[in-house]
Amino acid sequence: MKLHKESKGTITVATILFIIISVLAIYFLEMWSLLIIMPLLVVYSLVFWFFRVPVRDILEHRENVIAPVDGKVVMIKEVEETEFLKEKAIQVSIFMSPLNVHICRYPVSGKVIYKKYHPGKYLVAWHEKSSTENERTTVAVESMTNHKVVFRQIAGYVARRIVFYCNEGDQSKAGHEFGFIKFGSRMDVFLPLDTEIICKIGDITKGGLDVIARMKD
């Protein structure tokens, strides 16, 4: 199983803690140490599972909007996007649990025209205000269909580290990685009002594969 590059520090710390606690448990508890070691092994295995990088066949897209993350669609509504677009847009929000793949992908193909990191609070990721008050990043892309699309990584109550690798001027390819979030959070995508929304609330998405909307060319 391939592991994400963001896993190095977390797995190193988890390995050291696992070894120390296991050794202490064996020394002090002897045969009863399994009561400590076995649950600890499950948690240790979940750390590796969280940082997995699945193999996915990413296709070329022009007007399609691709699910940027694995998760569940929790919001589809018309909102005022005040940071970059400064106009009404359709917001599609996808919530990620700690068991989902947490690679963040470009939802559309085009050119990166804006990026910004915002420090903030750590409200639960499904809270509506988390989109504007939590620690977050905002990226805007000029799509191949000549639309401006904004998408936002949002830290949640558990997630305390967001990374994004794109820069203004970069070419974005729908479905390809641009960042990562630890350990459970949300992605918001803001689309033009005339976009055809294909997904619905409650849908389970696979990042890089599922088409969630289609923009007019």
Side-chain angles (χ1 to χ4, degrees), residues 75-81 88-91 128 193:
M75 183 186 299
I76 302 173
K77 66 182 297 185
E78 184 178 313
V79 300
E80 187 81 19
E81 202 290 309
K88 290 187 179 297
I90 300 175
Q91 176 181 333
E128 188 169 346
L193 292 178

Side-chain angles (χ1 to χ4, degrees), residues 2-210:
K2 184 178 178 181
L3 296 175
H4 197 274
K5 61 183 179 181
E6 296 294 336
S7 68
K8 293 179 181 178
T10 302
I11 287 179
T12 298
V13 172
T15 300
I16 293 172
L17 289 175
F18 177 73
I19 292 173
I20 291 174
I21 295 173
S22 297
V23 169
L24 291 174
I26 292 171
Y27 182 80
F28 289 106
L29 301 177
E30 297 181 348
M31 63 176 295
W32 296 104
S33 63
L34 289 177
L35 296 175
I36 300 294
I37 294 174
M38 294 309 295
L40 194 63
L41 183 60
V42 172
V43 174
Y44 183 56
S45 300
L46 287 175
V47 173
F48 283 84
W49 178 252
F50 176 85
F51 287 103
R52 68 196 184 279
V53 178
V55 177
R56 292 183 180 170
D57 186 14
I58 308 298
L59 304 177
E60 297 290 331
H61 297 277
R62 179 178 173 83
E63 71 280 359
N64 288 338
V65 181
I66 305 303
V69 292
D70 290 27
K72 181 178 181 180
V73 178
V74 294
M75 183 186 299
I76 302 173
K77 66 182 297 185
E78 184 178 313
V79 300
E80 187 81 19
E81 202 290 309
T82 58
E83 180 179 346
F84 180 80
L85 297 175
K86 302 187 187 310
E87 62 184 17
K88 290 187 179 297
I90 300 175
Q91 176 181 333
V92 179
S93 299
I94 301 175
F95 173 75
M96 295 169 280
S97 79
L99 296 179
N100 285 127
V101 174
H102 273 58
I103 295 171
C104 300
R105 305 170 187 272
Y106 289 110
V108 294
S109 296
K111 182 180 180 180
V112 177
I113 55 176
Y114 176 83
K115 61 169 283 189
K116 189 170 184 179
Y117 168 79
H118 302 270
K121 301 178 181 178
Y122 296 98
L123 302 173
V124 289
W126 57 83
H127 195 295
E128 188 169 346
K129 289 186 177 181
S130 66
S131 182
T132 55
E133 295 186 10
N134 276 22
E135 179 189 4
R136 62 199 181 279
T137 68
T138 301
V139 178
V141 165
E142 180 82 39
S143 74
M144 296 177 68
T145 56
N146 297 315
H147 295 94
K148 291 181 176 63
V149 175
V150 170
F151 42 99
R152 188 168 290 143
Q153 297 169 294
I154 302 170
Y157 183 73
V158 177
R160 297 298 176 103
R161 177 166 166 75
I162 298 175
V163 292
F164 61 149
Y165 315 118
C166 61
N167 292 298
E168 292 182 17
D170 286 355
Q171 293 299 311
S172 65
K173 291 186 177 181
H176 290 260
E177 180 180 357
F178 79 90
F180 194 88
I181 306 179
K182 304 177 185 180
F183 271 98
S185 192
R186 196 174 104 189
M187 278 274 301
D188 290 347
V189 182
F190 298 88
L191 301 165
L193 292 178
D194 61 354
T195 302
E196 176 189 0
I197 304 300
I198 297 173
C199 65
K200 60 184 183 297
I201 293 177
D203 281 357
I204 304 300
T205 62
K206 281 194 173 183
L209 298 181
D210 293 338

